Amino acid sequence: MKYKELIAQMTLEEKASLMSGKDFWQTQDIERLGIQSIFLADGPHGIRKQAVAADKLGLNAGVPATCYPTAATVANSWNVELGEKVGEYLGEEAISQKVNVLLGPGVNMKRNPLCGRNFEYFSEDPYLAGKMAASYIKGIQSQGISACVKHFAVNNQEERRMSIDTIVDERALREIYLTAFEIAVKEGRTKSIMSSYNKINGTYANENIHLMQDILRKEWGYQGVVVTDWGGSNDRVAGLLAGNELEMPTTSGETDQEIVEAVRTGEVPEEVLDKCVDRLLDLIITTESVYKRPRLDFNVEQHHRVSQKVAEESIVLLKNEGGILPLKFGKKVAVIGDFAKDARYQGAGSSIVNPTILDHTLDCFEESGIVSIGFESGFERYGRKNLRKIAKACALAEKADVVLLYLGLDEVTEADGLDRRSMQIPENQIDLLHALHKVNPNIIAILSCGSAVEMPWIGKVRGLLHGYLGGQAGARAILRVLSGDVNPSGKLAETYPLRYEDTPSYRHFPGNELTVEYRESIFIGYRYYDTADIDVLFPFGYGLSYTTFDYSDIKVGQMGVTFKLTNSGDRAGMEVAQLYVGCKSSDIFRPRKELKGFVKVFINAGESKMVTIPFDDKTFRYFNVKTNQWEVEEAQYTIMIGASSADIRLTGYLQVMGTGAPLPYEKEKLPSYYLGRVNDVGVDEFENLIGHKVPVATWDRSKPLGYNDTIEQCQYAKGAVARLAYHLIVFAYWFLRKIGKRSTANLIMMSVYHTPFRGIARMTGGVVNMAMVDGLLMMANGRFFKGLSHFMKERSRKVKADKLRQQNKGLA
């Protein structure tokens, strides 16, 4: 241990106190030993430090900070150097606001397009997500503070996220859902990790010994701190034994006392607590040391320009019929769509950033050189139909050479805590598109959203530019691509299916009441579509340019692959060359191809460059469930170089020596997996894969409600008051949406409806404790007066204890 002498000076109570927050955003301090509090802040794409009320959950506006493009956007750049630059600038801004730990990046997989938080995650591919995350972490931590990669692990839905049990086979867990974290730990060297809310195969993530000890600590050698997601602690002692050091936010000393009692009874050896304290002290002391030097304000304009550069390189050109883009000089354009006036530039929930500057499309036309003849909003932002707006938009479109139509998803559709209900763009926007097409077919659509959408309307547009969520400078970046000042180089980090029903997890998302079954196993995203021969709208890795690139002269060696890349067009541009590997053996089920490397190359018109993509320890490996370790299958491998997963330009072959491991599966018991057709796997076959029976997926409505049952389940409560409360919550949600207060309505679903009873104690900063929750449960379970009496007694007892604690603190 690094801080053995310091720890030896602490009382047991002081050590336990460090394991929980001081308030909602700070760790506990111990003044007599000079141990300071450190500040943790949301920050996947910009610092979100609350301007006021640090002791509150954080619904206030944040201190102004640069709002960079979201992770889903930057992943489309496929540029790790750019990711590191974003991280450096995030780190600078964190220091200017005295933030020690930046809660990001998020590396959960895009298992399903409807996950409400996909805008905050990089990709459906763990290799790309891991490499981008590692670059962010390196940049953030180069400034002396800590990144906090999240949410560990298999947190791929928002609905019931605090109670859902993820049922996943070990191979999918390792190859798909943990690989990005592994890269973040081993290559990014993240100093902290945030554990997820959900259970994994029956055990809460932060209590899961297999995840937290066997894999994270022992296999990966992780020495940093694990932080709970806010309110994500279930059994505090079990979490501590698993190595989850820091519980956030504060529980006002309640769980500290649980730790003290557990040490005194021998349930937790004191050396286990000491190791946890040691790791937390290292995080506190190393991130505080940066503040010994003078703190400087960041250059707002410079950071804004960097945000614009990142957005420009992340924009994806998806369609360019007849070379309608870039816009020809002098073309008169009609600007239509509410997102042109008020840019949709970031996600919602815990990642909302208060931007330092905000570019709006209508303010940037003059410098772009594009001639705008006017603007019409064309549609109501939140989906209400308005024929008058459509008529005015069509009248404007008739006068234009080209229509720039800004479409997308609104701020409360993609949000922390809620999953999307469909993959569709709102119907009122599509009605507008159809009407515009009748008067002017020269339509260029500009999409603003953070995740994949269906596009049955794509035949009605000649150009399609996807800006994703481009941050505070995204609007100007899009105009620079439209005008041709910037040659688009972004490529999709996720597949766009033709329709939602084509997705492999369609039948098992977002899961039933208690569980979500990952029956598709390793076949998510392009791994499924390519293997099962399912047509898609846009494949993984796809993106057009204003120039063209030729691939030639492939050479495959033991250490990597080399090839020639030529810019055969008439303007300079950047190309993302992608390495895919497929195993020709059929003894173990595998995807047809998997991403194992990539490189982004700038090439002038007419120029050629030799490009090398090296192999690494992940190129040929698979996880063997019999040996419980990574193995290599001896076989011939196909080495593919492509412009996307579906556009393979060069192919070579390599015979690879294996590790001689036994075959992990009985082929005849897993026919769907060996065919790759996993969109409708039966329960018997899934049980053969996971090696045990699947748990019951529905609530047992005959049992009384308990700590881990959600407020949603009050609809089945024995207590009439609980049932009434449930219906009032549902009504409030409906009513708030009806009157346009959609953000508030969403907050009810996120922070009340899907919250387990224990979350009432864990998320109120100690205002309500678990003894008071016992009273609430009595009321819910039909013993109203006894429960109310118990609640009031425990509240009175807590108020007295808090006063006594404050008095003792004052005397000290």
Side-chain angles (χ1 to χ4, degrees):
M1 295 196 302
K2 290 185 180 180
Y3 304 98
K4 195 171 183 179
E5 291 182 9
L6 182 57
I7 294 169
Q9 298 175 57
M10 296 181 192
T11 66
L12 175 57
E13 287 75 12
E14 285 174 332
K15 288 188 280 190
S17 74
L18 289 175
M19 299 291 94
S20 183
K22 178 180 181 179
D23 51 37
F24 267 93
W25 301 106
Q26 297 181 90
T27 63
Q28 187 60 262
D29 58 323
I30 302 176
E31 289 182 18
R32 74 176 188 87
L33 296 175
I35 297 169
Q36 301 179 43
S37 296
I38 60 171
F39 199 99
L40 299 88
D42 287 315
H45 58 268
I47 314 302
R48 186 172 177 269
K49 184 176 182 181
Q50 299 301 285
V52 293
D55 61 330
K56 299 293 188 293
L57 178 55
L59 303 176
N60 307 298
V63 176
T66 309
C67 181
Y68 295 93
T70 68
T73 312
V74 184
N76 294 332
S77 75
W78 294 64
N79 188 335
V80 292
E81 288 81 13
L82 200 64
E84 189 163 348
K85 180 61 68 176
V86 173
E88 287 175 12
Y89 278 64
L90 284 169
E92 278 187 26
E93 295 192 32
I95 290 171
S96 76
Q97 296 190 27
K98 204 176 187 311
V99 168
N100 302 74
V101 179
L102 202 54
L103 302 174
V107 299
N108 296 100
M109 290 296 98
K110 298 186 181 186
R111 174 186 179 241
N112 185 284
L114 300 188
C115 175
R117 216 160 173 179
N118 276 352
F119 67 87
E120 201 175 308
Y121 302 141
F122 290 108
S123 179
E124 69 187 31
D125 182 84
Y127 190 87
L128 175 59
K131 292 293 183 179
M132 292 303 298
S135 70
Y136 266 64
I137 293 162
K138 288 174 185 175
I140 292 167
Q141 295 188 169
S142 70
Q143 303 302 306
I145 65 162
S146 172
C148 184
V149 67
K150 61 186 187 182
H151 308 88
F152 191 60
V154 284
N155 174 197
N156 307 108
Q157 68 179 64
E158 292 297 285
E159 189 169 312
R160 303 188 187 96
R161 65 185 182 183
M162 292 185 79
S163 58
I164 199 76
D165 187 3
T166 301
I167 310 303
V168 59
D169 70 285
E170 185 71 12
R171 185 168 168 212
L173 176 68
R174 295 303 200 95
E175 293 187 14
I176 304 297
Y177 298 102
L178 293 186
T179 291
F181 286 102
E182 179 186 358
I183 295 170
V185 168
K186 291 183 176 179
E187 297 180 22
R189 298 186 180 278
T190 185
K191 294 179 180 179
S192 60
I193 289 175
M194 183 188 292
S195 57
S196 58
Y197 286 124
N198 53 286
K199 294 178 182 176
I200 302 169
N201 294 324
T203 305
Y204 279 101
N206 78 309
E207 301 168 12
N208 195 305
I209 296 294
H210 178 55
L211 183 71
M212 293 292 177
Q213 288 293 331
D214 297 343
I215 298 173
L216 178 63
R217 299 290 186 189
K218 295 174 184 175
E219 187 178 318
W220 297 350
Y222 180 64
Q223 295 297 317
V225 167
V226 177
V227 185
T228 66
D229 203 340
W230 265 235
S233 176
N234 170 50
D235 182 324
R236 184 64 191 104
V237 172
L240 190 74
L241 285 168
N244 202 141
E245 284 83 10
L246 180 59
E247 174 192 28
M248 291 297 291
T250 182
T251 58
S252 196
E254 182 177 23
T255 54
D256 300 349
Q257 191 56 41
E258 290 175 12
I259 293 171
V260 169
E261 291 301 318
V263 172
R264 285 178 176 157
T265 61
E267 185 181 357
V268 174
E270 192 159 1
E271 57 265 29
V272 169
L273 175 59
D274 288 350
K275 284 181 182 178
C276 290
V277 171
D278 190 67
R279 288 192 285 254
L280 184 61
L281 284 174
D282 193 51
L283 181 68
I284 292 169
I285 291 166
T286 57
T287 60
E288 270 297 298
S289 65
V290 71
Y291 296 109
K292 291 178 180 177
R293 57 180 186 259
R295 192 149 42 103
L296 301 173
D297 290 333
F298 65 95
N299 185 316
V300 171
E301 287 288 345
Q302 183 185 40
H303 283 224
H304 182 71
R305 288 194 298 273
V306 169
S307 181
Q308 179 182 318
K309 161 68 176 165
V310 174
E312 289 171 0
E313 203 169 315
S314 304
I315 290 166
V316 188
L317 178 61
L318 293 173
K319 185 175 181 180
N320 195 15
E321 184 182 299
I324 193 170
L325 289 172
L327 290 167
K328 307 298 185 288
F329 181 75
K331 289 280 186 184
K332 295 181 294 182
V333 304
V335 183
I336 296 172
D338 191 72
F339 295 117
K341 178 169 64 73
D342 294 311
R344 170 82 205 288
Y345 62 96
Q346 65 173 326
S350 65
S351 65
I352 292 177
V353 177
N354 183 11
T356 54
I357 301 170
L358 183 57
D359 290 339
H360 289 285
T361 302
L362 301 182
D363 300 329
C364 300
F365 269 101
E366 190 172 332
E367 68 183 69
S368 73
I370 299 171
V371 180
S372 168
I373 64 166
F375 163 78
E376 289 292 343
S377 63
F379 60 83
E380 300 275 2
R381 193 176 188 93
Y382 297 110
R384 186 176 297 171
K385 297 203 173 187
N386 189 321
L387 295 177
R388 184 168 164 272
K389 283 182 179 281
I390 290 178
K392 291 177 73 174
C394 287
L396 179 64
E398 283 184 298
K399 303 172 188 175
D401 298 319
V402 175
V403 174
L404 296 182
L405 177 58
Y406 284 74
L407 304 173
L409 299 176
D410 60 70
E411 292 82 353
V412 292
T413 296
E414 299 178 284
D416 180 347
L418 295 168
D419 294 316
R420 287 196 290 155
R421 296 180 179 181
S422 81
M423 274 188 72
Q424 298 168 358
I425 293 284
E427 189 177 2
N428 66 333
Q429 296 184 39
I430 307 310
D431 290 345
L432 171 65
L433 170 58
H434 290 319
L436 290 172
H437 188 264
K438 290 176 182 177
V439 300
N440 190 336
N442 294 319
I443 299 172
I444 298 167
I446 296 97
L447 270 178
S448 299
C449 49
S451 46
V453 293
E454 292 177 356
M455 301 184 200
W457 41 264
I458 195 169
K460 297 285 180 76
V461 302
R462 290 187 60 198
L464 178 59
L465 202 65
H466 202 336
Y468 268 69
L469 301 178
Q472 64 183 50
R476 178 178 272 109
I478 285 169
L479 288 175
R480 282 174 54 78
V481 172
L482 291 170
S483 69
D485 289 340
V486 170
N487 189 353
S489 62
K491 297 206 174 192
L492 293 175
E494 60 188 315
T495 306
Y496 277 57
L498 287 165
R499 56 192 194 124
Y500 177 59
E501 290 79 5
D502 292 336
T503 60
S505 55
Y506 164 66
R507 288 178 172 84
H508 298 281
F509 182 91
N512 292 315
E513 296 171 344
L514 287 177
T515 69
V516 54
E517 296 172 9
Y518 284 34
R519 293 197 190 184
E520 72 281 357
S521 185
I522 61 174
F523 294 99
I524 75 165
Y526 73 90
R527 286 169 165 79
Y528 167 68
Y529 300 114
D530 286 0
T531 307
D533 294 317
I534 305 295
D535 290 335
V536 299
L537 180 63
F538 296 115
F540 175 79
Y542 175 85
L544 301 174
S545 170
Y546 295 151
T547 189
T548 54
F549 296 95
D550 293 337
Y551 292 70
S552 61
D553 300 345
I554 186 171
K555 292 181 177 61
V556 178
Q558 293 296 321
M559 304 301 291
V561 57
T562 300
F563 55 95
K564 183 189 287 187
L565 193 57
T566 302
N567 183 338
S568 52
D570 59 3
R571 65 169 68 201
M574 288 184 280
E575 173 69 340
V576 178
Q578 302 154 41
L579 165 66
Y580 295 90
V581 173
C583 181
K584 298 192 78 175
S585 167
S586 60
D587 289 339
I588 301 169
F589 68 80
R590 301 176 96 144
R592 185 169 293 171
K593 64 175 78 75
E594 296 180 273
L595 183 74
K596 297 297 182 180
F598 58 90
V599 63
K600 191 165 193 175
V601 186
F602 175 84
I603 312 181
N604 286 312
E607 184 184 4
S608 295
K609 286 187 177 179
M610 294 303 297
V611 177
T612 297
I613 301 179
F615 300 149
D616 62 21
D617 63 328
K618 296 166 188 66
T619 305
F620 303 109
R621 74 179 192 176
Y622 76 96
F623 193 82
N624 187 302
V625 294
K626 272 194 176 174
T627 64
N628 195 38
Q629 61 185 23
W630 295 101
E631 305 284 2
V632 174
E633 184 181 6
E634 183 166 344
Q636 188 177 63
Y637 289 79
T638 307
I639 309 299
M640 295 162 270
I641 299 296
S644 78
S645 64
D647 183 12
I648 301 302
R649 303 290 185 88
L650 302 170
T651 303
Y653 301 94
L654 185 67
Q655 185 69 28
V656 176
M657 293 291 291
T659 51
L663 294 177
Y665 305 114
E666 296 178 55
K667 195 171 185 177
E668 65 278 4
K669 291 185 177 181
L670 303 170
S672 300
Y673 297 103
Y674 276 87
L675 290 171
R677 297 190 173 275
V678 296
N679 62 327
D680 194 16
V681 174
V683 65
D684 290 343
E685 189 175 354
F686 184 55
E687 287 178 344
N688 283 332
L689 178 71
I690 62 177
H692 57 81
K693 292 285 185 184
V694 296
V696 175
T698 53
W699 293 315
D700 185 345
R701 292 163 194 175
S702 67
K703 288 184 176 180
L705 296 176
Y707 292 137
N708 289 318
D709 292 315
T710 64
I711 307 303
E712 178 187 10
Q713 290 169 257
C714 284
Q715 62 186 298
Y716 310 118
K718 291 179 180 177
V721 172
R723 294 196 302 274
L724 176 62
Y726 164 79
H727 289 295
L728 287 173
I729 291 166
V730 171
F731 173 77
Y733 174 72
W734 171 85
F735 181 73
L736 287 165
R737 285 181 63 89
K738 194 75 175 174
I739 64 173
K741 302 285 187 181
R742 288 167 51 119
S743 293
T744 308
N746 285 355
L747 187 63
I748 286 175
M749 297 301 285
M750 177 178 72
S751 60
V752 180
Y753 190 79
H754 291 306
T755 299
F757 275 87
R758 64 174 163 81
I760 298 171
R762 300 298 194 233
M763 287 294 281
T764 54
V767 174
V768 177
N769 62 21
M770 290 298 284
M772 293 158 72
V773 170
D774 288 336
L776 295 175
L777 283 168
M778 288 179 199
M779 287 188 270
N781 288 317
R783 294 177 293 168
F784 177 78
F785 292 107
K786 184 176 182 180
L788 180 61
S789 173
H790 182 88
F791 181 89
M792 297 308 295
K793 282 179 184 176
E794 291 300 333
R795 183 179 181 278
S796 176
R797 187 177 297 171
K798 183 183 182 307
V799 169
K800 289 177 183 176
D802 288 346
K803 282 183 180 177
L804 183 61
R805 190 182 303 114
Q806 288 299 321
Q807 289 171 1
N808 291 338
K809 197 172 183 182
L811 291 172

